[in-house]
């Protein structure tokens, strides 16, 4: 695995978060870094009570070839696996985090992706989004119908079964840095999950040379051709997270994604 290119260190601090937030993030970075032939990671130098000391990455403009290499290495990161869906990185006891929101995790995770995704990713954040007014009752009902199909593991919605993958979990473009040696990952919400989830997150918020990266990852991972049709399903959780954090604009996007899912199921 290539090492992040840089010199010196970067100290990441964020006020208002409990100390365990940074310990969980550090554990996630180390878990991702342990994946053979996976994407390079800004592995923590030191965990502070109020932050992390990370290697500084000297950034360069990404190229199509770098994006393809990132996609292939992301497939290798996923292939390193996890004990179950929703399993925590080693050494993490209790929940994880996505931004400043708690993310349900467990030691071993679940054996079935559909029920896990409905019960531990969609419904908790839907409740929070509805309580905040970011999703109304009609929109919430659409998401709940998707959850019912997931609990039943409807293959028309979920697609072929996949083993638990080692996910970054918050893979928007700002968490992919480009060095002279290739992509470097930062700021994960790492857990065991479905490999299509990371790809959908990249598609939601964009990435330089996105199609090259996604195509290379899908080919290396052997994803079936139908994975692109399931992008709205895997975007539903991050959209609900953003609805909780930022309001009804993302809530409306989440409801549209849910209705696209219902056309599949």
């Amino acid at each position: 695995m290539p090492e992040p290119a840089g010199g010196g260190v970067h100290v990441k601090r964020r006020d208002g978060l409990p100390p365990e937030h940074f310990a969980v993030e550090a554990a996630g970075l180390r878990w991702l870094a342990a994946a053979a032939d996976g994407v390079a990671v800004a592995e923590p130098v030191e965990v502070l009570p109020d932050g992390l000391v990370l290697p500084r990455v000297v950034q360069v403009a990404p190229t199509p070839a770098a994006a393809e290499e990132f996609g292939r290495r992301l497939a290798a990161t996923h292939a390193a696996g996890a004990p179950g869906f929703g399993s925590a990185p080693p050494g993490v006891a209790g929940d994880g985090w996505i931004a400043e929101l708690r993310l349900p995790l467990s030691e071993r995770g679940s054996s079935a992706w559909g029920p896990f995704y409905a019960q531990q990713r969609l419904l908790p954040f839907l409740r929070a989004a509805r309580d905040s007014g970011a999703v109304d009752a009609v929109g919430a009902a659409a998401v709940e119908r998707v959850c019912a199909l997931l609990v039943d593991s409807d293959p028309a919605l979920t697609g072929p079964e996949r083993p638990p993958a080692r996910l970054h979990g918050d893979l928007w473009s700002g968490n992919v840095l480009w060095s002279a040696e290739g992509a470097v990952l930062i700021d994960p919400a790492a857990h065991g999950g479905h490999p299509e989830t990371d790809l959908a997150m990249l598609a939601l918020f964009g990435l330089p040379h996105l199609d090259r990266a996604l195509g290379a990852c899908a080919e290396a991972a052997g994803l079936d051709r139908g994975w692109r049709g399931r992008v709205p399903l895997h975007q539903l959780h991050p959209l609900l997270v953003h609805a909780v954090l930022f309001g009804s604009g993302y809530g409306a996007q989440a409801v549209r994604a849910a209705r696209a899912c219902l056309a599949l199921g």
Side-chain angles (χ1 to χ4, degrees), residues 6-104:
V9 296
H10 166 72
V11 181
K12 172 187 174 179
R13 284 190 167 92
R14 187 170 178 181
D15 294 335
L17 295 174
E20 63 265 25
H21 182 282
F22 301 103
V24 169
E25 182 176 333
L29 287 166
R30 290 170 179 146
W31 189 48
L32 295 171
D37 299 319
V39 186
V41 173
E43 197 168 355
V45 175
E46 185 179 359
V47 182
L48 306 172
D50 60 347
L52 292 175
V53 181
L54 301 166
R56 185 173 66 88
V57 177
V58 176
Q59 298 186 62
V60 302
T63 65
E68 289 186 0
E69 180 67 8
F70 165 62
R72 288 189 287 271
R73 288 190 174 275
L74 182 60
T77 298
H78 292 160
F85 298 106
S87 59
V92 173
D95 290 343
W97 301 84
I98 186 162
E100 63 262 36
L101 304 178
R102 288 191 177 270
L103 186 72

Side-chain angles (χ1 to χ4, degrees), residues 1 16-17 56 77 82 121 126 138 161 164 172 179 206 218 229 236 241 263:
M1 183 188 311
L17 295 174
R56 185 173 66 88
T77 298
R121 292 295 177 266
L126 175 63
V138 174
E161 292 186 8
W172 70 289
S179 78
L236 191 48
V241 169

